[in-house]
Amino acid sequence: MSTTDEQERSQRFAAQRDRIRAEHLQPVSSRPASSARGLHHTALISSDVERTVRFYQDLLEFPLTELIENRDYPGSSHFFFDIGNGNLLAFFDFPGLDIGPYQEVLGGLHHIAISVEPDRWEHLRTKLIDAGVELVEHSEVSMYFRDPDGARLELIADPLGEMYGSHVL
């Protein structure tokens, strides 16, 4: 694709975003309250419960809060980590099922962004590097990396409701 084609494509996408924003984004003063109370949990799939616990609890310091049998699949575990502010990150394992490796697909998960205090961000960055976890940093407040099963995570030092200095909530 030529530079001119890329610029035209980018301009078309920008125009589409502008149109959608103008049509659907309501000013804060007139925006209705959400019908939701919050994110109860996001559920991912784990190929190894103990390895997942070591990664999320020991490395990322998200406390394991519960480990129970999955009501939908006997023998499967359903377990939860506290990611702050009353939010949970949950996992299932499916022993005996060949579910294949992690994939990004339309309608699937791209990444989970978890807000941490700036000093905690630095601390976790050091722990991840020391553990040999490959990460990519952006804008000095975001780092992206993958969990042991390939799910992409972001730790972001911006407060909840902000992104790179802009309010998004």
Side-chain angles (χ1 to χ4, degrees), residues 6 14 25-26 29 31-32 38 50-51 54 62 67 73 77 90 96-97 108 117 127 135 138 148 150 157 161 164 169:
E6 287 177 11
L25 183 62
Q26 298 175 23
S29 60
R31 191 177 304 154
E50 192 165 4
R51 181 180 69 178
R54 284 188 189 122
F62 303 158
L67 172 61
Y73 183 70
S77 297
L97 293 181
E117 294 289 335
K127 285 184 75 174
L135 56 90
H138 288 284
Y164 309 136
L169 179 64

Side-chain angles (χ1 to χ4, degrees), residues 67-123:
L67 172 61
I68 57 177
E69 185 173 48
N70 176 0
R71 68 178 180 218
D72 301 323
Y73 183 70
S76 169
S77 297
H78 194 188
F79 51 108
F80 302 83
F81 297 94
D82 180 357
I83 58 170
N85 207 39
N87 297 291
L88 296 166
L89 188 59
F91 288 85
F92 294 104
D93 73 332
F94 293 108
L97 293 181
D98 182 17
I99 55 174
Y102 175 84
Q103 292 184 323
E104 289 182 15
V105 296
L106 289 176
L109 175 72
H110 183 267
H111 73 277
I112 297 172
I114 300 170
S115 176
V116 295
E117 294 289 335
D119 59 335
R120 179 66 56 184
W121 188 90
E122 290 290 343
H123 167 75

Side-chain angles (χ1 to χ4, degrees), residues 55 59 124-134:
F55 185 82
L59 185 60
L124 293 173
R125 178 184 175 275
T126 299
K127 285 184 75 174
L128 288 161
I129 290 169
D130 290 349
V133 175
E134 185 177 320

Side-chain angles (χ1 to χ4, degrees), residues 4 43-44 50 53 63 66 75 79 91 95 100 106 115 137 141 146 157:
T4 303
L44 302 173
E50 192 165 4
V53 170
E66 185 60 276
F79 51 108
F91 288 85
L106 289 176
S115 176
E137 294 180 45
V141 295
R146 293 192 181 272

